Amino acid sequence: MDKHFYQRLAVSGVQAIKPYQPGKAVSELERELGIKTIIKLASNENSFGPSPLVLDVIRETLGEISRYPDGNGYVLKTVIAEKYGIGVDQVTLGNGSNDILELIARTFLSAGRKAVYSQHGFAVYPLVVQATGALGVAVRAADGRNGQRYGHDLDNMANHVDEACAVVFIANPNNPTGTYCERGALTRFIESVSKKVIIVVDEAYFEYVEKDDYPDTLKLLDDHPNLVITRTLSKAYGLAGLRVGYAISRPEVADLLNRIRQPFNVNSLALCAAEVALSDQGHIDRSKERNKQGLNQLGIGLVDMGIDYIPSVANFLCIDCKRESMPVYQGLLQRGVIVRPVENYELPMHLRVTVGTAEENEKFLAAFQAVLGS
Ligand SMILES: *Cc1c(COP(=O)(O)O)cnc(C)c1O
């Protein structure tokens, strides 16, 4: 039996999938280098961790883990609904927002249908699309005239929406570029597209954005029933390891997503942690402030070295190494610094660096300078 035997048995969409490459684990690099002082700025988590209130509630809930969680996530949905002034029936909970992205794909896509997203867009979109057998179309990114360079070219994306297109994915802000779509452009796009097309606005980093022209998508839901907004507790809330995210949509769409959701897709510790985390706005405010300082620190350090980066509204920077970035990435690993190469995003000269603590940022900048000079 040759090694591709089972490959050929898989459904054709799955055969075409390139596996997602997660950031390298700290423990793995520790084993390789035999050192304990590794820093990881590779997966856009909140370097300042979760709200301390979260740790308390998890300790209090540990005794309940022999029981199934609340399959409806009633309390968490209520917290989300009250926080954003929407109905409980507009919320869908996910095992991370990646789970939601997959629910959307499985609900609205199949062979013969099409999904549209942007070049340099989040890597999970092609994964969830291809698994359904649908066609994924990556539309060339903006060049600076039609939206922020490297960001979404929404006019061009609208041109690719045809009868076969069932879903559009927009990451706002986008990972790995840190770019964002402003209110006018996004609203025009949504208004120009047929209501038969589900428009997913993935707002994994929206808590960090401080731009006046960043769209308030919740306001668009009344006029646009085809809109699905996805958010997560993995980034600003510092709960990436617990896996919890949510979608906000019209109840009709939430009802569909909930039909195929695994009954207990969010575990009990994640549910209670998210309830408390969402109520601690102070922690988000402090995290945002520190993130702003961190972005400044990295920006100044890079400018001092004569290095360009894509302006970012999120908690990471996409840096232009002006040379193949893979050897730079390897050099940083040797110095105990894990960042993210983004050649799989068609950005072979860039590296994505998550904003760390002041100390971590300092360490990254020193290592980066050393690697570039070596
Ligand atoms: C990190 C990220 C997510 C969130 O993933 P989770 O499954 O919620 O951890 C979603 N979209 C984008 C663009 C991201 O960068």
Side-chain angles (χ1 to χ4, degrees):
M1 202 182 290
D2 73 273
K3 71 179 204 282
H4 298 301
F5 182 77
Y6 288 102
Q7 160 102 14
R8 285 193 298 270
L9 292 182
V11 293
S12 60
V14 172
Q15 289 189 34
I17 289 177
K18 292 198 213 91
Y20 180 80
Q21 302 169 342
K24 197 178 180 84
V26 171
S27 54
E28 189 187 344
L29 187 61
E30 277 179 356
R31 281 195 299 276
E32 285 173 20
L33 295 183
I35 56 173
K36 284 277 176 198
T37 51
I38 283 154
I39 60 168
K40 182 177 173 186
L41 302 174
S43 301
N44 301 345
E45 300 108 329
N46 183 343
S47 298
F48 309 102
S51 158
L53 303 177
V54 162
L55 302 181
D56 294 341
V57 75
I58 287 178
R59 273 184 219 105
E60 286 162 23
T61 314
L62 279 177
E64 293 170 30
I65 59 171
S66 59
R67 305 252 171 230
Y68 278 102
D70 171 10
N72 282 318
Y74 179 77
V75 178
L76 176 55
K77 283 202 221 174
T78 306
V79 169
I80 293 168
E82 281 173 5
K83 187 171 171 76
Y84 297 114
I86 53 167
V88 173
D89 57 358
Q90 293 185 263
V91 183
T92 308
L93 299 181
N95 192 255
S97 55
N98 284 337
D99 185 22
I100 307 266
L101 297 173
E102 187 176 28
L103 294 178
I104 295 167
R106 286 171 51 215
T107 303
F108 294 103
L109 294 171
S110 62
R113 298 192 185 187
K114 176 172 131 178
V116 166
Y117 37 80
S118 179
Q119 182 192 23
H120 317 312
F122 185 44
V124 168
Y125 310 146
L127 280 184
V128 298
V129 170
Q130 286 169 11
T132 70
L135 176 69
V137 177
V139 175
R140 182 179 292 280
D143 59 11
R145 282 169 299 185
N146 227 350
Q148 216 181 327
R149 189 169 173 218
Y150 298 107
H152 293 36
D153 181 342
L154 291 174
D155 290 343
N156 202 10
M157 286 174 74
N159 292 335
H160 283 80
V161 175
D162 56 17
E163 274 296 308
C165 180
V167 182
V168 176
F169 291 96
I170 296 170
N172 201 27
N174 185 45
N175 169 19
T177 55
T179 51
Y180 77 106
C181 303
E182 41 106 350
R183 185 185 305 113
L186 185 71
T187 310
R188 268 198 311 283
F189 174 84
I190 293 171
E191 282 170 354
S192 74
V193 166
S194 159
K195 296 240 186 307
K196 288 200 283 190
V197 178
I198 297 294
I199 301 176
V200 182
V201 183
D202 176 348
E203 298 186 336
Y205 302 93
F206 94 100
E207 291 89 356
Y208 284 114
V209 184
E210 296 198 307
K211 297 284 182 185
D212 291 337
D213 60 357
Y214 181 71
D216 181 353
T217 40
L218 293 179
K219 285 206 183 116
L220 299 173
L221 270 173
D222 284 340
D223 289 335
H224 303 284
N226 52 334
L227 193 58
V228 182
I229 300 152
T230 63
R231 294 178 176 174
T232 183
L233 279 287
S234 297
K235 303 291 160 55
Y237 286 98
L239 301 182
L242 285 177
R243 314 305 303 129
V244 50
Y246 59 95
I248 300 175
S249 67
R250 291 275 282 262
E252 310 89 279
V253 175
D255 171 53
L256 292 169
L257 300 180
N258 274 295
R259 289 182 199 188
I260 58 165
R261 183 178 61 80
Q262 294 281 328
F264 304 107
N265 63 334
V266 184
N267 70 72
S268 32
L269 300 183
L271 285 173
C272 69
E275 288 155 27
V276 169
L278 285 164
S279 321
D280 189 356
Q281 186 58 37
H283 183 71
I284 292 294
D285 294 342
R286 286 186 292 278
S287 297
K288 280 174 74 164
E289 187 52 39
R290 289 157 137 182
N291 185 60
K292 193 153 82 178
Q293 290 165 7
L295 276 177
N296 268 335
Q297 182 189 3
L298 289 172
I300 290 170
L302 291 167
V303 167
D304 280 350
M305 290 179 226
I307 295 291
D308 276 346
Y309 54 86
I310 306 173
S312 171
V313 296
N315 67 336
F316 54 87
L317 269 188
C318 200
I319 297 173
D320 184 354
C321 298
K322 292 273 193 299
R323 60 169 100 165
E324 240 183 274
S325 64
M326 218 50 194
V328 181
Y329 165 71
Q330 298 291 352
L332 287 168
L333 284 184
Q334 292 311 311
R335 287 168 172 81
V337 178
I338 310 174
V339 299
R340 182 70 74 98
V342 283
E343 56 178 7
N344 57 322
Y345 287 91
E346 298 183 19
L347 293 166
M349 317 274 261
H350 286 74
L351 287 177
R352 192 193 67 199
V353 182
T354 305
V355 174
T357 61
E359 204 184 329
E360 288 170 331
N361 298 333
E362 200 53 56
K363 189 167 172 192
F364 160 74
L365 288 167
F368 190 62
Q369 184 148 40
V371 171
L372 291 184
S374 65

